[in-house]
Amino acid sequence: MQPLAGPDLPHTQPRPMHWLVTAAALAAVVAAASFVQPPDATATTSGDAGTGRRAAAAPDPAKVTFPVDCGPNRLDVVTKASGDLDGDGTAETVAVVRCHTEAGTPPSGVYVLAQPAGAKAAPRIVATLLAPARKLSVEDFTLKRGVISATLLGYSTTDVPRCCPDVRTAVKWQWKGGKFVQSELPALSSTERA
């Protein structure tokens, strides 16, 4: 091949601006490609980093028989939340349950569920935070960073109608020293009389 005679053409000598534009275009292509996924793609996390094992799913309250006697009525799971409560790397589920009713305020139960090893094993109750026998109801239930919070509703006397709790106590449960510890939140505790 014969060399070209004459001066070099402008596009044959890259300048810093050329490299900057090329780098920006390449970054834009990589960024755009990160948003394009196959339609069946799902995000997963591994239960044990580096081993490829999948994290166990949080226990499903629908697969648990709760120790609550509702007579002819069904048991309702009013609310549930999942998270690693004891720091072992697996998710537990906290379920608030009560007997179904069309009127009144039935007592609630608050239970912590864990999934035993083995995919076919049913979840089991590992802690009872609030037994229905205490005749309290639950509202404002949350689970954040391993702390379970709720407002417990109760009655100051047996004369108070069962539809209208008049005692409100804010509580939290947290895993400490190998067990769940309940503490009352004094700033939010109150007794309201109608």
Side-chain angles (χ1 to χ4, degrees):
M1 179 165 177
Q2 185 176 13
L4 293 174
D8 288 334
L9 298 174
H11 69 276
T12 62
Q13 295 180 4
R15 294 195 168 102
M17 183 55 105
H18 168 80
W19 292 114
L20 184 61
V21 170
T22 301
L26 184 58
V29 169
V30 170
S34 69
F35 292 110
V36 178
Q37 299 290 328
D40 61 346
T42 59
T44 59
T45 60
S46 71
D48 196 2
T51 65
R53 290 186 300 175
R54 286 186 164 211
D60 181 2
K63 297 179 179 179
V64 173
T65 301
F66 292 93
V68 180
D69 181 13
C70 291
N73 298 323
R74 73 176 185 266
L75 181 74
D76 291 334
V77 176
V78 178
T79 189
K80 64 181 179 175
S82 298
D84 184 4
L85 301 174
D86 57 5
D88 68 352
T90 60
E92 289 81 26
T93 297
V94 183
V96 178
V97 301
R98 70 177 185 196
C99 296
H100 181 78
T101 184
E102 298 298 328
T105 309
S108 300
V110 181
Y111 300 95
V112 178
L113 313 175
Q115 183 68 49
K120 305 227 187 236
R124 61 186 178 90
I125 297 171
V126 294
T128 300
L129 303 180
L130 178 67
R134 291 190 51 202
K135 299 187 187 301
L136 298 171
S137 299
V138 174
E139 74 174 21
D140 302 328
F141 172 83
T142 61
L143 171 60
K144 291 183 183 175
R145 294 185 291 279
V147 178
I148 305 155
S149 301
T151 300
L152 303 181
L153 307 177
Y155 305 92
S156 57
T157 69
T158 56
D159 295 333
V160 177
R162 298 298 103 173
C163 68
C164 311
D166 66 337
V167 176
R168 301 171 58 86
T169 306
V171 298
K172 70 176 182 174
W173 293 276
Q174 192 169 11
W175 184 259
K176 291 182 181 177
K179 63 182 178 180
F180 286 99
V181 176
Q182 177 183 329
S183 56
E184 197 169 306
L185 303 173
L188 299 177
S189 297
S190 67
T191 300
E192 300 170 2
R193 304 241 179 209

